[in-house]
Amino acid sequence: MRAENAVEALAALAQEHRLALFRLLVQAGDKGMAAGAIADALGVPNSSLSFHLAQLRNAGLILQERQHRSLIYRANYPAMNKLVGYLMENCCAGADCGADTACEIPAQERKSA
C-alpha cells in the first residue's frame, strides 16, 4: 500500500458516522447489508448515508453490489487488511510481536468490533 492510499482510507474513517458504518459492515461479514438496513441500524438519514457510503467506496474500504432492487454493501476485507498491514509494517522494530511487546493490546483495552 502506498502512503497516499493509507491517508485516503484513514481520512474516510476519520468521521464518526463513517467509522460506525465501516465497523457495522465488518460485523455484518460477507453477507453485507442493504442501504436501508444500514440507515436503520445507525439512525442516519438516507441523504447523509449516501454521502458516507460514497466516501468509504471512494477510499476502497467498502464494496457495493446490486441485488435485485437493493444495493448491498460489504467491508472490503483485503483493503482493510492492507491498511492494517501498512500501519503495522515494521512493528516492534522488526522483532516478533509477542505478548511482552508494545504491539500487544492489553485485554482490558481491547474492544469488540
Side-chain angles (χ1 to χ4, degrees):
M1 174 172 269
R2 297 187 332 234
E4 52 269 13
N5 299 113
V7 168
E8 184 179 9
L10 292 169
L13 292 170
Q15 199 280 340
E16 182 180 358
H17 293 301
R18 287 194 293 273
L19 182 59
L21 167 53
F22 183 73
R23 293 187 68 195
L24 180 67
L25 291 177
V26 168
Q27 291 173 13
D30 289 333
K31 67 180 179 177
M33 292 181 74
I38 295 169
D40 290 344
L42 297 177
V44 176
N46 288 337
S47 58
S48 296
L49 180 63
S50 295
F51 174 77
H52 295 309
L53 287 166
Q55 295 295 309
L56 291 170
R57 276 189 62 218
N58 291 340
L61 292 171
I62 64 172
L63 304 170
Q64 173 187 302
E65 176 188 343
R66 180 169 292 282
Q67 287 184 0
H68 308 287
R69 295 179 64 194
S70 296
L71 291 175
I72 305 299
Y73 294 91
R74 293 179 183 79
N76 184 346
Y77 293 104
M80 177 184 70
N81 289 335
K82 284 181 185 177
L83 177 60
V84 171
Y86 178 81
L87 294 172
M88 299 298 292
E89 190 176 58
N90 300 318
C91 175
C92 303
D96 183 30
C97 293
D100 296 332
T101 66
C103 293
E104 179 67 20
I105 300 170
Q108 67 269 18
E109 292 181 25
R110 283 188 212 134
K111 298 198 185 226
S112 62

